[in-house]
Amino acid sequence: MGETKIFELMMLLSFGAAWPASVYKSYVARTAKGKSLIFLLVIIFGYICGIINKLINSPDYVIFFYALNMVMVSCDLVIYFRNRRLDREAASRR
């Protein structure tokens, strides 16, 4: 395994370790406050670019970690929209 692959994999594993906590926090918070839609979309775009790069230049097992991270961020995105709806419903009850 090349040295660059090791560092790429370590980067993906580091980022990937943070996403489950973020998804859980979003789920239990039940609010979109403090969450940035633009940030989530930029991160998803970055993972898509990483996947495309791997497919074009050096397809290998690391692509799995790009996809896994993108799935986790996508889950956070879905929860963001749920939480935004919950925020609107709470505001309309006031």
Side-chain angles (χ1 to χ4, degrees):
M1 180 187 306
E3 290 150 10
T4 57
K5 269 188 203 165
I6 283 288
F7 289 112
E8 180 181 24
L9 180 59
M10 288 171 43
M11 182 261 320
L12 288 167
L13 291 173
S14 298
F15 289 174
W19 286 117
S22 179
V23 169
Y24 177 76
K25 183 178 175 185
S26 295
Y27 183 76
V28 299
R30 299 180 63 83
T31 182
K33 293 176 182 148
K35 208 49 131 163
S36 169
L37 175 60
I38 299 297
F39 175 77
L40 293 173
L41 293 174
V42 167
I43 296 297
I44 290 170
F45 176 75
Y47 284 133
I48 289 170
C49 290
I51 289 169
I52 291 169
N53 176 60
K54 292 308 265 182
L55 289 172
I56 292 171
N57 295 312
S58 58
D60 58 26
Y61 67 92
V62 176
I63 198 169
F64 169 79
F65 294 97
Y66 278 101
L68 181 61
N69 286 355
M70 191 176 74
V71 166
M72 287 188 281
V73 179
S74 297
C75 288
D76 212 8
L77 181 65
V78 168
I79 294 168
Y80 169 85
F81 285 112
R82 179 206 70 163
N83 288 348
R84 199 169 75 166
R85 179 182 50 81
L86 293 173
D87 288 342
R88 281 194 307 267
E89 289 171 2
S92 70
R93 286 191 295 263
R94 292 181 198 161

